[in-house]
Short mmCIF file of all heavy atoms in Angstrom, two decimals:
data_model
loop_
_atom_site.label_atom_id
_atom_site.label_comp_id
_atom_site.label_asym_id
_atom_site.label_seq_id
_atom_site.Cartn_x
_atom_site.Cartn_y
_atom_site.Cartn_z
N PRO Y 81 14.11 14.42 -0.75
CA PRO Y 81 13.51 14.74 -2.05
C PRO Y 81 12.16 15.42 -1.85
O PRO Y 81 11.40 15.05 -0.95
CB PRO Y 81 13.33 13.37 -2.70
CG PRO Y 81 13.27 12.40 -1.56
CD PRO Y 81 14.16 12.97 -0.51
N GLN Y 82 11.88 16.40 -2.67
CA GLN Y 82 10.61 17.11 -2.57
C GLN Y 82 9.55 16.52 -3.50
O GLN Y 82 8.38 16.76 -3.31
CB GLN Y 82 10.82 18.61 -2.87
CG GLN Y 82 11.67 19.31 -1.82
CD GLN Y 82 11.01 19.30 -0.46
OE1 GLN Y 82 9.91 19.82 -0.28
NE2 GLN Y 82 11.65 18.66 0.53
N ILE Y 83 10.05 15.80 -4.50
CA ILE Y 83 9.10 15.15 -5.42
C ILE Y 83 9.46 13.67 -5.53
O ILE Y 83 10.59 13.33 -5.86
CB ILE Y 83 9.18 15.77 -6.84
CG1 ILE Y 83 8.95 17.27 -6.80
CG2 ILE Y 83 8.16 15.09 -7.77
CD1 ILE Y 83 9.10 17.97 -8.15
N VAL Y 84 8.50 12.82 -5.18
CA VAL Y 84 8.68 11.40 -5.34
C VAL Y 84 7.64 10.92 -6.37
O VAL Y 84 6.48 11.32 -6.30
CB VAL Y 84 8.49 10.63 -4.01
CG1 VAL Y 84 8.53 9.13 -4.22
CG2 VAL Y 84 9.52 11.06 -2.98
N VAL Y 85 8.11 10.15 -7.35
CA VAL Y 85 7.19 9.63 -8.36
C VAL Y 85 7.12 8.10 -8.25
O VAL Y 85 8.15 7.43 -8.32
CB VAL Y 85 7.61 10.06 -9.79
CG1 VAL Y 85 6.75 9.35 -10.83
CG2 VAL Y 85 7.47 11.58 -9.95
N TYR Y 86 5.93 7.62 -8.10
CA TYR Y 86 5.68 6.18 -8.04
C TYR Y 86 4.79 5.86 -9.24
O TYR Y 86 3.56 6.00 -9.19
CB TYR Y 86 4.99 5.86 -6.70
CG TYR Y 86 4.42 4.46 -6.53
CD1 TYR Y 86 4.96 3.36 -7.21
CD2 TYR Y 86 3.35 4.23 -5.67
CE1 TYR Y 86 4.44 2.09 -7.03
CE2 TYR Y 86 2.84 2.96 -5.48
CZ TYR Y 86 3.37 1.90 -6.17
OH TYR Y 86 2.84 0.63 -5.99
N ASN Y 87 5.44 5.48 -10.34
CA ASN Y 87 4.67 5.21 -11.57
C ASN Y 87 4.23 3.74 -11.53
O ASN Y 87 4.73 2.90 -12.25
CB ASN Y 87 5.46 5.57 -12.83
CG ASN Y 87 6.69 4.72 -13.05
OD1 ASN Y 87 7.45 4.46 -12.12
ND2 ASN Y 87 6.91 4.31 -14.28
N ARG Y 88 3.31 3.47 -10.67
CA ARG Y 88 2.99 2.10 -10.27
C ARG Y 88 2.55 1.17 -11.40
O ARG Y 88 1.71 1.51 -12.22
CB ARG Y 88 1.92 2.10 -9.17
CG ARG Y 88 0.60 2.73 -9.55
CD ARG Y 88 -0.30 2.76 -8.32
NE ARG Y 88 -1.49 3.54 -8.58
CZ ARG Y 88 -2.71 3.07 -8.38
NH1 ARG Y 88 -2.92 1.86 -7.92
NH2 ARG Y 88 -3.76 3.83 -8.64
N VAL Y 89 3.13 0.00 -11.38
CA VAL Y 89 2.74 -1.05 -12.32
C VAL Y 89 1.48 -1.71 -11.73
O VAL Y 89 1.45 -2.06 -10.55
CB VAL Y 89 3.84 -2.13 -12.46
CG1 VAL Y 89 3.43 -3.18 -13.49
CG2 VAL Y 89 5.18 -1.50 -12.81
N PRO Y 90 0.42 -1.84 -12.55
CA PRO Y 90 -0.81 -2.44 -12.02
C PRO Y 90 -0.60 -3.88 -11.55
O PRO Y 90 0.22 -4.59 -12.12
CB PRO Y 90 -1.76 -2.41 -13.22
CG PRO Y 90 -1.20 -1.38 -14.14
CD PRO Y 90 0.27 -1.39 -13.94
N LYS Y 91 -1.31 -4.27 -10.55
CA LYS Y 91 -1.30 -5.61 -10.00
C LYS Y 91 0.03 -6.03 -9.42
O LYS Y 91 0.42 -7.18 -9.44
CB LYS Y 91 -1.79 -6.65 -11.04
CG LYS Y 91 -3.00 -6.21 -11.82
CD LYS Y 91 -4.05 -7.26 -12.02
CE LYS Y 91 -4.59 -7.86 -10.78
NZ LYS Y 91 -5.26 -6.91 -9.88
N CYS Y 92 0.74 -5.05 -8.91
CA CYS Y 92 2.04 -5.35 -8.24
C CYS Y 92 1.99 -4.83 -6.81
O CYS Y 92 2.96 -4.25 -6.31
CB CYS Y 92 3.19 -4.73 -9.00
SG CYS Y 92 3.50 -5.46 -10.60
#
Side-chain angles (χ1 to χ4, degrees):
Q82 293 298 299
I83 305 176
V84 174
V85 172
Y86 170 28
N87 66 316
R88 61 185 172 127
V89 183
K91 316 223 57 62
C92 292

